Amino acid sequence: MEQNIESHLKENRLFKPARAFAKKARIGSFEEYRKLYRESIEKPERFWAREAKELAWQLPWKKVLEWKAPDAKWFVGGKLNVSENCLDRHLDGPRRNKAALIWEGEPGEKRIFTYQQLHRDVCRFANVLKRNKIKKGDRVIIYMPNVPEAAIAMLACARIGAIHSVVFGGFSAESIRGRIADCGATAVITADGGYRRGTIVPLKQNVDAALAGKTTVKRVIVFRRAGNEIHIEEGRDVWWHRELEYVGAKCDPVALESEHPLYILYTSGSTGKPKGILHTTGGYLVGSYVTTKYVFDLREEDVYWCTADVGWVTGHSYVIYGPLANGATTLMYEGAPNWPEPDRFWRIIEEYAVSILYTAPTAIRAFITWGDQWVKKHDLSSLRLLGSVGEPINPEAWMWYHDKIGGGRCPIVDTWWQTETGVIMITPLPGAIPTKPGSATLPFFGVDPAVVDAKGNEVPPNVGGKLIVRRPWPSMLRGIYGDQARYRKQYWSEYPGRYFTGDGARRDKDGYFWIVGRIDDVLNVAGHRLGTSEIESALVSHAKVGEAAAVGRPDELKGQGLVVFVTLKAGAKPTPRLKEELRAHVGKQIGAIAKPDEVRFAEALPKTRSGKIMRRLLKEIAAGKAVTGDTTTLEDFSVLAKLASPEE
Ligand code: WTA
């Protein structure tokens, strides 16, 4: 497919940073952004060295970057420890007794850890790891609910140089088994259970199933969270709280090479088994530190809440490592956004006076369908900045977020990045870059992205193409664990020497990036390549639509016919007339070629546990086929059953 992706959705609204916000911001004008950006591209080593020096190094680096595509080494010769930077570094001054972590459990418990307390708990648990013969370089699976102990386990691994691999608590026993086998993990840290929508997820039971038969795992450490009954395998399983009785609170952070692996995080591609994305110590820490500082423009007094689960990369970089490296107060919530009622998020924001909220478009669209009355019940005036990540945010969802949640006064940072990139790559800086709803705007410092055609040439403004990155950045993945050949093929072979993101995008005349999503999500309707996200955005811009998913189905005439699945807002009636109205609406927004051949109403859409719509399943349903593909990442199976037997 040599043809370019066409982009039809035009968005003309522009929001300039408010003067009051800009005045206090670290980067307070567009000129300042441009100047620093230019330096970061022309003199990257100078830029990154200056930033990295703000962190604690046990041994200074000799060379900022060694680059032999596709292998990068950052801060070569330097030694440091991530947990020392996230904890010890803050203990000498007034941050010592500042809240590092605020946590709320789904049933309602509240816990607050100061930096001093979190440091002590991490040191003690690091001693538990040592006591259980876990050492530097060992791979440790963390399969936990979104509780402080998940963060403590990660930081404790980092403290002794063990490599953690967090597996999202919603994944199945099979998924855990596959990941253990792939990385040769010798230990698992888990909990008896975790709470999700009022029920207990049997985490330990899943671990038991994953370990049945032959396994490399010798030790399982179990945190008591839900109090549900579990099996304890003598000689293999130990309780977290019991182990603590045997250890002290002194544990020096180990000095680690800058390129020492920090973690492996598995991410699924559209084909093949999950890839173990490898991140290392120095570059990743510098990247998460710097992006959190500038993108969220953190202030000492902020209460910062990133709603991601620690099981995702966003939970790694922006719940734990980035905020803690900055000495921020980071909030963690265990459960579902609509438990016990759809106002749980707004309740939390009011309760803790959250000032920065970083969440996903899928959540925002769900809130829209649940209705504004849930938002209106709460005082959200503590908020000063909003963020979005995970998928393209539809302009109408952006506007709702801006008006209803941000009260029209909070800048929105729509941040584009990936598990592979480790940290935010394309994003507005809230005091400097004017935003356009639906655009991630401009590259972060040191990031050199471009939109190119099949031959690798940059395409003109407003022409769609593939998104690549032309030079290395500190937090880039260092490989796919155990499979460097796949690493090269997947990311570096399409455009030799340059990183291929797998995403489609266009730049407008101002150089702003508009990400249209994964290349695999592109449809070809009568010779036009359309990004599914544009069609979905057009639908979501209709007053009655909350969420939409567009997929292709085989069509003899057009190559692909367009089927859209639509979830209506609370109160809207699914009628044949509305279907017609929606077809016409898309036609008007994008053009006649994008008019859906079929509109199907759905109560809910099938999503992965990280909130991405599973278009692959919808495609099978749209084509009238039975769903055959892998559904292990599906959030809610009942959705699928309802879709397969449509209403009417
Ligand atoms: C998509 C999540 C548009 C994109 C951090 C990317 C986005 C994939 C955005 C990575 C955004 C993420 N606008 N698309 N702001 N953020 N994406 O690895 O397709 O779970 O390649 O990392 O999500 O997903 P991942």
Side-chain angles (χ1 to χ4, degrees):
M1 186 51 53
E2 293 297 289
Q3 196 188 350
N4 283 324
I5 303 159
E6 297 174 21
S7 193
H8 297 264
L9 207 63
K10 294 288 175 287
E11 175 61 55
N12 297 314
R13 289 171 285 205
L14 186 77
F15 293 82
K16 296 209 173 110
R19 198 162 301 151
F21 191 102
K23 241 168 81 184
K24 290 194 193 155
R26 279 200 173 75
I27 311 289
S29 71
F30 193 68
E31 289 64 48
E32 219 181 309
Y33 158 72
R34 272 247 295 273
K35 197 167 138 248
L36 257 184
Y37 180 72
R38 195 172 314 128
E39 184 206 23
S40 75
I41 293 299
E42 286 167 5
K43 303 229 160 44
E45 309 209 351
R46 189 168 87 185
F47 175 85
W48 287 114
R50 192 174 60 235
E51 292 293 340
K53 275 191 188 133
E54 294 183 3
L55 295 166
W57 294 78
Q58 297 194 16
L59 196 70
W61 60 86
K62 294 205 173 66
K63 216 168 154 205
V64 174
L65 170 65
E66 236 175 70
W67 173 235
K68 207 168 156 282
D71 300 308
K73 287 187 180 147
W74 284 87
F75 309 108
V76 186
K79 286 193 173 181
L80 75 165
N81 185 287
V82 167
S83 97
E84 177 184 0
N85 273 283
C86 290
L87 300 167
D88 309 54
R89 201 166 82 79
H90 309 306
L91 298 184
D92 292 338
R95 279 183 190 152
R96 185 181 178 87
N97 288 314
K98 173 178 175 175
L101 183 66
I102 298 176
W103 177 78
E104 194 170 291
E106 196 186 74
E109 316 95 309
K110 299 171 168 55
R111 294 165 73 193
I112 296 179
F113 296 71
T114 64
Y115 270 95
Q116 190 165 220
Q117 290 170 320
L118 191 61
H119 172 262
R120 187 200 54 208
D121 287 358
V122 168
C123 287
R124 291 181 73 205
F125 192 66
N127 284 333
V128 168
L129 295 179
K130 287 196 250 178
R131 203 181 113 74
N132 283 281
K133 310 243 165 28
I134 295 160
K135 34 178 220 312
K136 180 176 164 185
D138 286 352
R139 275 81 61 215
V140 176
I141 297 284
I142 298 178
Y143 181 66
M144 300 272 277
N146 211 36
V147 294
E149 281 69 18
I152 290 168
M154 290 162 76
L155 289 160
C157 285
R159 199 161 187 90
I160 66 167
I163 307 163
H164 62 69
S165 184
V166 183
V167 178
F168 174 56
F171 279 137
S172 63
E174 264 320 294
S175 310
I176 311 169
R177 180 196 288 282
R179 284 153 172 79
I180 289 172
D182 189 78
C183 72
T186 51
V188 176
I189 303 170
T190 188
D192 48 1
Y195 289 94
R196 189 78 186 170
R197 283 194 194 93
T199 58
I200 294 175
V201 183
L203 297 171
K204 175 61 167 59
Q205 196 182 309
N206 292 343
V207 169
D208 290 340
L211 297 183
K214 232 177 122 179
T215 178
T216 46
V217 170
K218 300 199 172 63
R219 185 62 84 226
V220 179
I221 304 176
V222 190
F223 173 66
R224 178 134 78 201
R225 162 67 188 124
N228 51 313
E229 199 141 319
I230 59 163
H231 164 74
I232 289 280
E233 178 89 20
E234 286 303 326
R236 187 194 70 185
D237 305 349
V238 293
W239 282 105
W240 177 303
H241 60 273
R242 288 266 170 76
E243 288 299 297
L244 283 181
E245 291 170 13
Y246 300 100
V247 297
K250 189 173 155 37
C251 176
D252 289 334
V254 176
L256 298 167
E257 301 279 344
S258 180
E259 285 300 332
H260 182 74
L262 176 65
Y263 68 80
I264 301 164
L265 186 59
Y266 286 86
T267 179
S268 41
S270 47
T271 51
K273 64 171 187 163
K275 305 181 281 260
I277 303 300
L278 178 71
H279 284 292
T280 59
T281 301
Y284 175 80
L285 180 71
V286 171
S288 42
Y289 169 69
V290 173
T291 49
T292 309
K293 178 173 72 165
Y294 289 121
V295 176
F296 301 107
D297 196 38
L298 273 185
R299 288 196 221 139
E300 210 56 65
E301 64 275 21
D302 274 318
V303 177
Y304 163 96
W305 183 21
C306 167
T307 66
D309 187 282
V310 291
W312 309 116
V313 72
T314 310
H316 286 57
S317 304
Y318 298 109
V319 175
I320 299 169
Y321 293 121
L324 295 180
N326 277 279
T329 298
T330 184
L331 191 146
M332 220 171 154
Y333 164 60
E334 179 185 30
N338 54 349
W339 186 265
E341 288 192 299
D343 66 342
R344 188 64 182 268
F345 273 26
W346 323 126
R347 205 172 269 283
I348 290 174
I349 289 171
E350 182 170 11
E351 161 110 20
Y352 301 96
V354 171
S355 54
I356 301 174
L357 175 68
Y358 188 31
T359 194
T362 178
I364 297 167
R365 290 189 306 260
F367 293 131
I368 296 174
T369 51
W370 294 334
D372 295 358
Q373 71 276 17
W374 297 107
V375 181
K376 289 197 192 114
K377 281 170 70 175
H378 298 280
D379 176 8
L380 304 182
S381 61
S382 57
L383 288 171
R384 66 175 195 90
L385 177 64
L386 304 175
S388 169
V389 60
E391 318 161 66
I393 176 164
N394 327 95
E396 285 324 307
W398 194 103
M399 287 307 301
W400 184 89
Y401 196 30
H402 181 262
D403 294 344
K404 299 287 172 12
I405 306 305
R409 72 184 179 278
C410 303
I412 297 179
V413 289
D414 172 4
T415 62
W416 177 86
W417 58 295
Q418 308 174 297
T419 304
E420 291 88 339
T421 69
V423 305
I424 295 167
M425 300 286 277
I426 301 178
T427 178
L429 295 182
I433 299 179
T435 52
K436 304 180 188 184
S439 169
T441 74
L442 296 169
F444 186 75
F445 303 130
V447 177
D448 184 20
V451 180
V452 298
D453 62 20
K455 294 203 184 72
N457 300 315
E458 227 174 323
V459 295
N462 286 320
V463 175
K466 294 177 181 175
L467 181 64
I468 62 165
V469 185
R470 294 180 287 202
R471 60 172 75 209
W473 61 99
S475 65
M476 64 184 258
L477 75 166
R478 298 300 194 263
I480 295 177
Y481 191 78
D483 197 348
Q484 285 314 82
R486 190 173 176 202
Y487 168 66
R488 282 160 196 270
K489 180 157 184 297
Q490 180 93 31
Y491 302 108
W492 301 92
S493 66
E494 188 122 355
Y495 303 104
R498 296 180 292 174
Y499 172 79
F500 176 48
T501 64
D503 278 357
R506 73 178 162 93
R507 291 185 92 161
D508 66 17
K509 60 178 191 341
D510 300 324
Y512 277 40
F513 285 84
W514 296 78
I515 317 291
V516 299
R518 308 293 302 166
I519 297 282
D520 332 336
D521 290 343
V522 169
L523 300 176
N524 191 316
V525 179
H528 300 277
R529 287 189 79 181
L530 301 168
T532 51
S533 73
E534 289 195 333
I535 297 158
E536 290 157 8
S537 280
L539 286 159
V540 173
S541 74
H542 188 279
K544 290 184 180 160
V545 175
E547 186 157 40
V551 297
R553 73 164 171 224
D555 185 296
E556 276 181 21
L557 274 182
K558 300 198 280 185
Q560 271 182 319
L562 179 58
V563 182
V564 298
F565 293 81
V566 171
T567 308
L568 296 176
K569 287 186 192 166
K573 293 243 153 19
T575 61
R577 203 154 130 223
L578 183 56
K579 286 188 178 177
E580 273 320 300
E581 207 178 301
L582 293 177
R583 292 188 66 234
H585 182 73
V586 177
K588 207 166 127 224
Q589 294 282 309
I590 300 181
I593 44 152
K595 261 194 183 175
D597 296 287
E598 190 185 341
V599 177
R600 285 169 77 157
F601 294 119
E603 257 173 63
L605 298 172
K607 289 186 190 160
T608 65
R609 293 168 199 254
S610 64
K612 291 188 171 69
I613 294 170
M614 293 182 79
R615 292 199 180 72
R616 183 168 50 77
L617 301 185
L618 289 174
K619 231 187 258 174
E620 292 178 330
I621 292 169
K625 289 194 259 183
V627 172
T628 53
D630 177 22
T631 54
T632 52
T633 55
L634 193 64
E635 228 259 335
D636 179 357
F637 285 95
S638 69
V639 169
L640 208 57
K642 281 182 206 148
L643 281 170
S645 51
E647 74 299 351
E648 292 141 298

